[in-house]
Amino acid sequence: GAVVSQHPSRVICKSGTSVKIECRSLDFQATTMFWYRQFPKQSLMLMATSNEGSKATYEQGVEKDKFLINHASLTLSTLTVTSAHPEDSSFYICSARDGAGEVQPQHFGDGTRLSIL
Amino acid sequence: AQSVAQPEDQVKVAEGNPLTVKCTYSVSGNPYLFWYVQYPNRGLQFLLKYITGDNLVKGSYGFEAEFNKSQTSFHLKKPSALVSDSALYFCAVRWGGGGNKLTFGTGTQLKVEL
């Protein structure tokens, strides 16, 4: 089945640090990837849709200068949390959609636990 | 706008008993419905989807779901629960006018007890 690899799985760093999270589709090409944020005991909140070769589409209320997304290839999207602060601490999850045509499910990475001290 | 409701924060069942996790939706047009499961500190795993066709959809690990258009529901079921089924379950909807976006429910914590 389709596999999405997300790295790193956990990051602990000081306030003011920028953190980059990678999301790779291992056995399929993903023209579209998604970045979500999940708070404890809550649902997933879509942050942005990442399209290969073009600018990401951000959801309302998500700062695009804070959360930089780059989707440079059909198998890799990155999310950079710039100048992270404690309120950015969260569980970040990426997903990728395999193919077009019939509606395909999104396949999710295992998430990145970000803790800003 | 589309929305998904999972009315139960938690469902508890005994191992071997049938389980149901409820989901209702609201969309304009035809819905595409999904169930995902999340284990602690992990991403979401796809269980099953309804796009069109038979209302009863069978998925991974013995799970199934029934699409009911009149009740706008898509409840997840399993005839015989296992302790290993204990996890957080999310219902999601994608609609034709929303592009590829999924809207998730708030999740239901399933606890299967011996």
Side-chain angles (χ1 to χ4, degrees):
Chain A
V3 177
V4 174
S5 174
Q6 188 172 339
H7 179 80
S9 59
R10 187 174 181 94
V11 179
I12 302 173
C13 57
K14 294 181 180 180
S15 185
T17 306
S18 291
V19 178
K20 180 185 280 188
I21 303 170
E22 292 188 348
C23 181
R24 294 180 184 273
S25 57
L26 296 186
D27 50 1
F28 65 99
Q29 292 185 330
T31 54
T32 303
M33 291 185 173
F34 303 87
W35 288 96
Y36 295 86
R37 185 172 178 176
Q38 186 180 29
F39 292 99
K41 298 185 187 283
Q42 292 190 27
S43 188
L44 280 72
M45 181 192 79
L46 179 64
M47 299 174 65
T49 302
S50 169
N51 299 295
E52 187 268 336
S54 64
K55 290 183 179 180
T57 302
Y58 289 82
E59 294 300 301
Q60 192 172 12
V62 178
E63 299 176 60
K64 61 181 181 181
D65 295 330
K66 174 75 171 178
F67 299 100
L68 299 178
I69 291 173
N70 184 286
H71 193 159
S73 77
L74 286 171
T75 59
L76 174 64
S77 176
T78 61
L79 168 68
T80 301
V81 183
T82 61
S83 187
H85 292 285
E87 59 267 26
D88 298 323
S89 299
S90 192
F91 193 53
Y92 293 86
I93 309 175
C94 72
S95 73
R97 185 170 164 268
D98 177 10
E102 183 188 340
V103 177
Q104 297 293 336
Q106 291 180 22
H107 300 283
F108 288 79
D110 275 344
T112 297
R113 175 77 57 193
L114 177 61
S115 300
I116 307 298
L117 306 177
Chain B
Q2 68 277 21
S3 66
V4 178
Q6 292 181 244
E8 303 154 317
D9 290 337
Q10 186 176 60
V11 169
K12 285 185 183 179
V13 298
E15 187 175 50
N17 283 1
L19 69 86
T20 299
V21 183
K22 295 180 181 178
C23 171
T24 58
Y25 65 90
S26 175
V27 298
S28 301
N30 295 323
Y32 305 134
L33 295 156
F34 303 83
W35 274 102
Y36 287 88
V37 60
Q38 184 180 34
Y39 294 94
N41 296 309
R42 300 293 297 275
L44 276 65
Q45 295 178 32
F46 168 71
L47 282 179
L48 50 80
K49 66 179 179 181
Y50 172 82
I51 306 302
T52 186
D54 289 341
N55 290 340
L56 184 64
V57 178
K58 293 188 183 296
S60 305
Y61 312 120
F63 284 93
E64 57 188 32
E66 185 165 11
F67 172 66
N68 187 316
K69 188 172 183 178
S70 63
Q71 296 185 4
T72 62
S73 67
F74 190 56
H75 301 331
L76 181 70
K77 300 183 180 184
K78 187 173 182 180
S80 179
L82 298 172
V83 172
S84 57
D85 292 330
S86 299
L88 186 58
Y89 289 80
F90 289 100
C91 181
V93 65
R94 176 186 154 182
W95 61 299
N100 294 321
K101 295 181 189 179
L102 285 178
T103 298
F104 286 88
T106 50
T108 299
Q109 184 70 47
L110 173 67
K111 188 171 182 180
V112 182
E113 300 170 322
L114 289 170

